[in-house]
Amino acid sequence: MQTRIAKWGNSLAVRVPREIAEAAKLTEGTAVELAVENNAVVIRPAGPRYQLADLLVGMTPKAMHEAFDWGPDVGREDVS
């Protein structure tokens, strides 16, 4: 299937035909990534974007301490 490149402000745009959008499960507002691979423009759905707060849900100081516990402080590490 062929389509044409159009001007959209200072950028260029490609209109995705309905059949292609349906086959790729793309809808209005779908985030996509653009890449150039072997001189071809590749459009693929974007991966999820994470927020730090969402990744840290359920983390407690105790859980963090257990993840990074190297044993008791030694030498100048001991600040008590």
Side-chain angles (χ1 to χ4, degrees):
M1 183 174 294
Q2 286 189 356
T3 188
R4 293 193 182 268
I5 303 290
K7 186 132 175 93
W8 187 2
N10 291 329
S11 300
L12 297 176
V14 174
R15 201 175 277 222
V16 178
R18 185 186 76 228
E19 296 84 11
I20 300 289
E22 288 174 354
K25 297 183 174 126
L26 299 175
T27 59
E28 183 178 349
T30 300
V32 295
E33 294 178 355
L34 298 174
V36 176
E37 297 176 3
N38 299 320
N39 295 323
V41 177
V42 177
I43 303 172
R44 64 175 57 98
R49 295 201 49 151
Y50 298 104
Q51 298 291 323
L52 182 58
D54 296 334
L55 296 173
L56 294 176
V57 167
M59 292 304 299
T60 64
K62 182 178 184 214
M64 292 296 293
H65 179 72
E66 291 171 0
F68 298 103
D69 186 8
W70 290 288
D73 293 338
V74 177
R76 292 190 331 171
E77 295 173 347
D78 189 3
V79 293
S80 56

